[in-house]
Each structure stands twice: as C-alpha cells, then as structure tokens.
Amino acid sequence: MAENYSSLVDVSRLALQMAYVFAKKAMENGTALNPAGGNRFGELAFLVDRGCEEVIISAFSIKTLPAVRFISEEHGQVDTGKDPQFTCYLDGTDGSN
C-alpha cells in the first residue's frame, strides 16, 4: 500500500503541473472561457475547467496505478479502474455554484 500511495502522490504532482500548463496556455491564447458544452448539472462548462479535469483524470488512468474514483463538476463520477481504492474531488475554477 505504501508503494501505491507514493505512486499516487507522484502522479498527483504531475497531474496538477500538467493542468497548470493547460490552464496557462488557455489563458494566454484567450480560449480559457470558451464554452465547452454543459456540465453534469446542465450549467455551461468552460474549456479551462473541462480541459484541466480531463488532463488530471487521464494522468491517473495509468494501468499500473490503483483505481481512483473522481467526482467532478464537469465530468461527474469517473472511475479509472475496477474497485477504486481512493476518491478525488475536482472542482473547476469558474466560480459557479
């Protein structure tokens, strides 16, 4: 379990760095607040929020990691594998309810 935890911490750091880079680029090129469909509540989702969530969830989808359950504003519940051992909550930066 300790090895799994260490791997998850490493991937967490990498995922957050990747999301930061994504958000920074979206802000720099003016696409951050572009509409990106609706979220699970039927509210408008912005490109920066949807994209950052996708980057983070993708980083945890590596088959050698234990499964993680994500509960997020834009994607709802996403499991990266069978029988998730960990839960991660993601909330976008747009300031909506």
Side-chain angles (χ1 to χ4, degrees):
M1 183 70 161
E3 182 179 314
N4 288 342
Y5 179 75
S6 177
S7 296
L8 286 171
V9 169
D10 292 341
V11 171
S12 298
R13 286 185 185 124
L14 177 62
L16 291 173
Q17 290 171 346
M18 291 167 42
Y20 172 79
V21 168
F22 178 89
K24 184 176 179 188
K25 285 182 181 179
M27 294 297 289
E28 288 171 352
N29 67 27
T31 60
L33 298 180
N34 284 1
N39 66 19
R40 65 187 179 122
F41 302 109
E43 300 167 336
L44 176 65
F46 294 112
L47 179 100
V48 68
D49 292 327
R50 184 173 292 281
C52 285
E53 284 187 8
E54 288 173 4
V55 165
I56 291 169
I57 293 168
S58 294
F60 282 88
S61 296
I62 300 168
K63 299 298 179 203
T64 57
L65 291 174
V68 176
R69 171 167 290 154
F70 285 91
I71 299 172
S72 73
E73 183 177 6
E74 311 306 338
H75 290 85
Q77 181 176 307
V78 178
D79 294 345
T80 63
K82 264 186 141 180
D83 302 320
Q85 299 175 28
F86 301 94
T87 302
C88 179
Y89 295 91
L90 300 175
D91 188 15
T93 59
D94 62 18
S96 67
N97 297 329

